[in-house]
Amino acid sequence: MSHDHSLNPETMPEDPAKATMEGKHKFLGLWIFLGGETVLFACLFGTYLALRNSTAGGPSSQDLFGLELVFLMTLLLLTSSLTSVYAIYHMKNNNFKKMQLWFGITALLGLSFLGLEIYEFAHYITDYGFTFRSSAFGSAFYALVGFHGGHVVFGLSWLIAIMVRNAKRGLSLYNAPKYNTFGLYWHFIDVVWVFIFTVVYLMGMVG
Amino acid sequence: MSIATTQKRGFGAVLWDYLTTVDHKKIGILYIIGGGFFFLLGGLEALLIRIQLIKPENDFISAGLYNEMITMHGTTMIFLAAMPILVGLMNYVMPLQIGARDVAFPFLNSLGFWLFFLGGILLNLSWFTGAPDAGWTNYAPLSVQSPGHGVDFYVMGLQLSGAGTLMGGINFIVTIVTMRAPGMTYMRMPLFSWTTLVTSILILFAFPALTVNLFLMMFDRMFGTAFFDIGLGGNSIIWQHLFWIFGHPEVYILILPAFGIFSEIIPTFAKKRLFGYTAMVFATFLIAFLGFMVWAHHMFTVGLGPVANSIFAVATMAIAVPTGIKIFNWLLTLWGGSITINSAMLWTLAFIPSFTIGGMTGVMLGSSVADYQYHDTYFVVAHFHYVIVGGVVFAILAAMHYWWPKMFGRILHEGMGKLAFWTFFIGFHLTFFIQHFLGLMGMPRRYWVFLENQGLDTGNLISTIGAFFMTFGVIVFLINIIYTAVKGEKAPADPWDARTLEWAIPSPPAHYNFKQLPLVRGLDPLWIEKTEGKGKMTPAEPVDEIHMPNGTILPFIMTLGFTIASYGFIYQVDHKGWLIAVYAGMAIALGCMLIRSLKDDHGYHITKEELEREAD
Ligand code: HEM
Ligand SMILES: [Cu+2]
């Protein structure tokens, strides 16, 4: 039996990410992990909802949030999810170069999202004195949005690491599951952001 | 690998083997040893608590130390003793029961163990500088105000070990879903494997709540945030909600595997198929589901209002129904069976009435109006010890006697097993039964002293005497382990004439578990072969090479990194220089993660020739 996992058109299975036992395990494992992550964010949302009006005399959500910036951020992140779908599509067609290209675009979009988020936080801190410590609202806001941001940072580092590592090696049954699980994770981050956009920003601006 | 051959290798080699192992059986044993160690530590703390309460206004230990003692006792017993020992058993037994060669993520398995263990060590290092003292429930604002670093150790230690548990849970779910042997359908899985699955689901959905809560506490204590700080608009009840959203499922994380253990032992020693198998599976799911709906029964006296209290009271009492179904199914399995009574069975038979008492006081507590009287008294202490000791600890001891031969190839000494059982059993009821009445007479829990002539003196004395009986029982059990290791009777593959797959392979099993995966033809597969086959499992595949994962030291180093970083987090409050430890620790941990992700590791193969050379 040969243990060469690299792919050529004849040996290319239907879905390289789930063709091996390890691939199946990773795929299911990540789904299950996301179940746990859902509870994690649910708890953070709950905390935020309980504390969102506890401004302790400091700035409130209406004072702070601006729709333009957050809308742009949402756009960037949603688009990055779409580009990662393209990347996985090319993976299934065994087109490594295009897959790397679309994942590269995904990473760039993610990085710009992150840049804007850092800008946003800096803006709140310097212009409004609104920090992690200034009120319970501040603590809850930075905890929720920051946790999401942390997930974005982790996801981007992960993506860049596997892209660099495999740049010269092409697609194989060994690395396909890694890209695939990343893709799933990235969609999840996107979904969480949609909730943040709604619950934190939209509801926050209405009051 | 038998004990004899391991001993021939040097100590260093064995240590290295265990530090790098990814074998679920070795990791299971590590969990049991680690959990056992913390169990002794927690037991010692309990004994000190009981000595302090032996007489009115005692000053055996100081008030501050007493608070640390109760906090560490509870925290240690739940997080570092009971749960890890159960996880160890699940790790060892479940893959064998479903006919798998390992778990789905061997690397993660090892990482989970080290996180638990070093997290526990970190928590206990606090003894040198002042242990946490806000109770195992660590309620805010008391915990936020608690001076020194005790509570910080609680936060970081539990964060680490909690992360480890979560990984274990995910691993077990994937293993059960994807790695069952041919023919092992879900409804043919042994009950212990079922409860492993359901427990893992509970872990998956409960532990993230603890994770978040611990983060909030960490931010409040170390970085000056205001989650629980009323002055800045915070809300200390959030801690209680998140704690019990995790905490109530946690008690089912403890008791469901225990139910699974008894559901294995009873059919084996009654020589009867488990009565109402389907109902048992269904009841397990129902308990798990309801377990998430009742957390506020720990908060009846907080003032959530009559509507919330009523809803949670009804939901709480509903749990007694599936639990009752289980009790009756065990009784009906015993009914008319040809029963062998040995140590494993003694613990099992003692469990049924003991646990039922705990269940009944649970229903009493679940009545929200009555709980105003019971809450925070010794009545609650009696309740949860009846369920946790009478349920979980009895189950662990039963499981030790039952699976010891499989794990170590030797049978625990029966005489000593029985002596340990009787002293512990009597001691247990002496200690905790009287506490119901102490509670009803108004003795509050977590108080350092009680006063003379309030009708509490005799009860407390009896309770302390019982604790010494239990200590004696535990010591006998330890002696039994040593005796068995030295001159215990050698165990055959199937010493109990049992029913499930783990008994179809040698004791202890080869590191690849099954040379050929077995073909499962029904519930209790080995029993089926015994009664209507050739007495052993039919292979489902020809002998062929087996793919195995490589051992690795990365999980250990990664955890070491996280532990160093946690230490740094705790002390950077005093001196920013400690941030170096945070950065260094995180760098080590993330570096290991990067290596793990980037370095190819395809595992290795055991060749056909090697397999054929080894006997069955
Ligand atoms: C019939 C099932 C059960 C019911 C109805 C029930 C009900 C309750 C209630 C209402 C309380 C809160 C009492 C108070 O603080 O005033 C409580 C406390 C507790 N229960 Fe149960 N329970 C049940 C089973 C269990 C099981 C199976 C376990 C563990 C294996 C368990 C462990 C605990 C613990 C540890 C506490 C105390 C928590 C603390 O305050 O430190 N219970 N139970
Ligand atoms: Cu509860």
Side-chain angles (χ1 to χ4, degrees):
Chain A
M1 208 211 285
S2 129
H3 302 296
D4 179 16
H5 289 288
S6 64
L7 297 174
N8 61 53
E10 285 96 79
T11 58
M12 175 75 188
E14 181 96 33
D15 186 349
K18 279 172 260 167
T20 60
M21 207 53 188
E22 285 79 16
K24 282 193 195 110
H25 290 166
K26 282 209 174 112
F27 179 71
L28 182 65
L30 199 93
W31 264 109
I32 292 169
F33 171 69
L34 294 182
E37 288 266 85
T38 307
V39 178
L40 186 121
F41 278 105
C43 292
L44 286 166
F45 273 107
T47 308
Y48 178 79
L49 287 175
L51 299 176
R52 59 192 278 252
N53 295 320
S54 306
T55 53
S60 70
S61 52
Q62 284 103 321
D63 302 333
L64 291 164
F65 301 154
L67 198 56
E68 299 81 6
L69 183 71
V70 188
F71 185 72
L72 188 59
M73 287 165 74
T74 309
L75 213 63
L76 286 172
L77 206 62
L78 287 182
T79 315
S80 81
S81 226
L82 184 69
T83 56
S84 78
V85 172
Y86 286 150
I88 297 288
Y89 168 80
H90 288 298
M91 176 172 91
K92 291 189 179 161
N93 285 338
N94 199 8
N95 191 337
F96 182 70
K97 285 229 167 62
K98 282 208 171 139
M99 180 189 83
Q100 288 280 82
L101 176 70
W102 281 107
F103 268 133
I105 297 173
T106 306
L108 283 180
L109 289 167
L111 279 172
S112 6
F113 169 87
L114 209 61
L116 288 186
E117 182 150 271
I118 292 170
Y119 166 76
E120 184 203 357
F121 285 4
H123 173 61
Y124 293 160
I125 293 168
T126 48
D127 298 347
Y128 290 91
F130 175 68
T131 71
F132 205 23
R133 293 176 194 164
S134 49
S135 65
F137 165 56
S139 303
F141 170 80
Y142 285 107
L144 173 58
V145 183
F147 251 85
H148 176 268
H151 276 70
V152 173
V153 173
F154 180 80
L156 286 174
S157 326
W158 180 13
L159 174 64
I160 292 168
I162 51 177
M163 280 180 65
V164 172
R165 171 71 178 104
N166 294 303
K168 294 210 177 71
R169 304 205 297 177
L171 198 61
S172 72
L173 289 185
Y174 184 72
N175 61 26
K178 297 192 182 208
Y179 283 103
N180 194 52
T181 38
F182 165 79
L184 257 175
Y185 176 83
W186 196 250
H187 290 319
F188 175 77
I189 293 181
D190 210 32
V191 172
V192 173
W193 178 260
V194 172
F195 280 95
I196 291 182
F197 180 65
T198 318
V199 172
V200 176
Y201 293 102
L202 289 186
M203 279 168 58
M205 270 178 288
V206 186
Chain B
M1 188 112 347
S2 75
I3 295 176
T5 47
T6 21
Q7 271 166 357
K8 276 189 212 106
R9 294 179 298 148
F11 174 73
V14 177
L15 185 69
W16 181 254
D17 184 24
Y18 274 89
L19 284 178
T20 59
T21 187
V22 292
D23 178 349
H24 74 95
K25 297 183 290 304
K26 285 188 182 149
I27 292 175
I29 290 174
L30 282 174
Y31 264 113
I32 293 171
I33 295 174
F37 166 72
F38 287 121
F39 180 77
L40 296 180
L41 219 57
L44 189 67
E45 285 150 12
L47 199 62
L48 295 176
I49 294 171
R50 274 322 317 168
I51 294 176
Q52 165 63 20
L53 295 178
I54 196 169
K55 62 173 198 219
E57 296 189 76
N58 200 1
D59 60 356
F60 173 66
I61 50 179
S62 69
L65 187 58
Y66 184 83
N67 288 349
E68 296 178 15
M69 219 44 97
I70 54 155
T71 304
M72 287 298 279
H73 164 68
T75 313
T76 303
M77 282 304 196
I78 300 261
F79 291 97
L80 308 178
M83 210 171 36
I85 296 178
L86 292 171
V87 170
L89 286 164
M90 297 193 256
N91 234 314
Y92 197 103
V93 175
M94 178 274 288
L96 302 181
Q97 282 196 331
I98 63 170
R101 293 210 169 96
D102 206 327
V103 287
F105 304 109
F107 180 92
L108 222 55
N109 205 11
S110 151
L111 182 60
F113 167 75
W114 289 112
L115 281 169
F116 140 65
F117 188 68
L118 291 186
I121 295 289
L122 179 71
L123 177 57
N124 275 282
L125 282 178
S126 69
W127 277 119
F128 295 108
T129 49
D133 57 0
W136 85 282
T137 48
N138 204 46
Y139 276 11
L142 177 67
S143 49
V144 183
Q145 306 291 332
S146 165
H149 286 298
V151 171
D152 301 330
F153 277 95
Y154 172 99
V155 169
M156 301 312 292
L158 290 191
Q159 194 66 283
L160 287 184
S161 76
T165 309
L166 189 59
M167 287 175 194
I170 294 175
N171 203 349
F172 290 151
I173 299 177
V174 179
T175 305
I176 293 177
V177 172
T178 60
M179 295 175 72
R180 282 164 292 121
M184 179 60 82
T185 58
Y186 281 109
M187 289 315 274
R188 288 175 181 175
M189 274 199 320
L191 241 105
F192 183 65
S193 294
W194 261 118
T195 54
T196 300
L197 177 62
V198 177
T199 302
S200 303
I201 296 173
L202 284 176
I203 289 177
L204 177 70
F205 292 122
F207 266 76
L210 178 71
T211 307
V212 168
N213 220 14
L214 291 173
F215 269 121
L216 304 186
M217 182 62 71
M218 174 181 169
F219 295 154
D220 260 20
R221 282 189 57 99
M222 299 180 198
F223 301 106
T225 55
F227 294 102
F228 308 123
D229 180 350
I230 321 294
L232 287 174
N235 181 343
S236 59
I237 305 299
I238 291 175
W239 170 273
Q240 293 193 27
H241 276 295
L242 289 179
F243 187 85
W244 290 115
I245 287 174
F246 148 77
H248 190 83
E250 166 67 16
V251 307
Y252 287 100
I253 290 168
L254 293 173
I255 202 66
L256 289 180
F259 287 172
I261 290 166
F262 295 125
S263 305
E264 299 298 316
I265 293 177
I266 293 177
T268 300
F269 294 115
K271 289 271 165 298
K272 264 179 75 189
R273 187 191 144 134
L274 184 68
F275 185 88
Y277 171 86
T278 321
M280 288 299 237
V281 173
F282 182 68
T284 308
F285 271 99
L286 202 58
I287 292 176
F289 176 74
L290 289 174
F292 277 103
M293 308 284 154
V294 299
W295 79 87
H297 68 208
H298 296 273
M299 301 166 63
F300 281 148
T301 59
V302 166
L304 301 177
V307 177
N309 273 7
S310 314
I311 293 172
F312 280 100
V314 173
T316 299
M317 290 187 233
I319 294 198
V321 177
T323 315
I325 292 178
K326 288 195 168 239
I327 300 275
F328 283 108
N329 280 338
W330 289 315
L331 290 176
L332 290 168
T333 311
L334 289 165
W335 185 287
S338 82
I339 297 175
T340 313
I341 297 209
N342 53 19
S343 308
M345 200 55 177
L346 279 176
W347 288 110
T348 306
L349 294 176
F351 149 81
I352 295 178
S354 308
F355 181 82
T356 306
I357 295 174
M360 288 190 317
T361 53
V363 177
M364 291 169 71
L365 290 167
S367 160
S368 53
V369 266
D371 189 59
Y372 274 79
Q373 181 65 29
Y374 309 135
H375 184 66
D376 264 348
T377 70
Y378 258 78
F379 190 83
V380 176
V381 178
H383 156 70
F384 65 73
H385 282 93
Y386 263 83
V387 278
I388 291 182
V389 181
V392 183
V393 176
F394 282 20
I396 287 172
L397 285 157
M400 287 300 147
H401 284 273
Y402 184 61
W403 279 307
W404 199 271
K406 185 52 56 188
M407 293 191 280
F408 301 104
R410 286 168 189 267
I411 298 176
L412 282 171
H413 188 267
E414 265 303 311
M416 274 189 265
K418 286 186 176 140
L419 179 63
F421 166 77
W422 283 110
T423 42
F424 193 96
F425 176 71
I426 293 170
F428 163 68
H429 285 281
L430 268 184
T431 306
F432 295 111
F433 195 73
I434 194 87
Q435 290 185 359
H436 291 113
F437 302 98
L438 289 173
L440 291 177
M441 286 186 292
M443 179 168 159
R445 73 191 271 213
R446 294 177 174 167
Y447 275 31
W448 173 51
V449 286
F450 59 92
L451 298 179
E452 224 170 338
N453 295 327
Q454 295 188 330
L456 306 174
D457 308 17
T458 324
N460 275 298
L461 178 65
I462 295 175
S463 190
T464 302
I465 294 174
F468 279 100
F469 272 74
M470 283 195 277
T471 313
F472 180 81
V474 172
I475 292 172
V476 173
F477 182 71
L478 290 179
I479 296 174
N480 194 356
I481 291 178
I482 297 168
Y483 173 85
T484 306
V486 182
K487 25 160 104 156
E489 181 192 338
K490 285 250 165 26
D494 180 17
W496 313 125
D497 191 15
R499 317 168 76 84
T500 43
L501 278 183
E502 74 269 31
W503 305 105
I505 49 176
S507 307
H511 64 294
Y512 45 79
N513 295 354
F514 297 91
K515 192 161 157 185
Q516 295 163 282
L517 290 183
L519 180 69
V520 175
R521 297 200 293 143
L523 182 63
D524 292 344
L526 183 60
W527 191 254
I528 293 182
E529 301 302 333
K530 283 180 193 171
T531 51
E532 49 187 72
K534 46 189 177 347
K536 56 177 195 181
M537 299 307 299
T538 316
E541 58 178 15
V543 178
D544 200 351
E545 54 175 23
I546 296 175
H547 180 231
M548 299 295 289
N550 287 322
T552 160
I553 189 72
L554 280 181
F556 179 72
I557 298 181
M558 200 189 286
T559 310
L560 218 53
F562 281 126
T563 313
I564 293 170
S566 304
Y567 228 91
F569 272 120
I570 294 173
Y571 283 105
Q572 52 82 31
V573 177
D574 303 336
H575 191 290
K576 288 295 160 207
W578 279 94
L579 282 173
I580 295 174
V582 174
Y583 297 136
M586 287 316 259
I588 295 174
L590 293 176
C592 289
M593 250 185 242
L594 208 61
I595 296 176
R596 169 66 186 165
S597 176
L598 301 187
K599 193 170 150 287
D600 288 5
D601 181 355
H602 293 285
Y604 68 99
H605 287 78
I606 307 173
T607 61
K608 221 164 136 174
E609 293 71 44
E610 269 175 80
L611 284 172
E612 272 158 359
R613 249 180 281 130
E614 298 198 21
D616 274 289

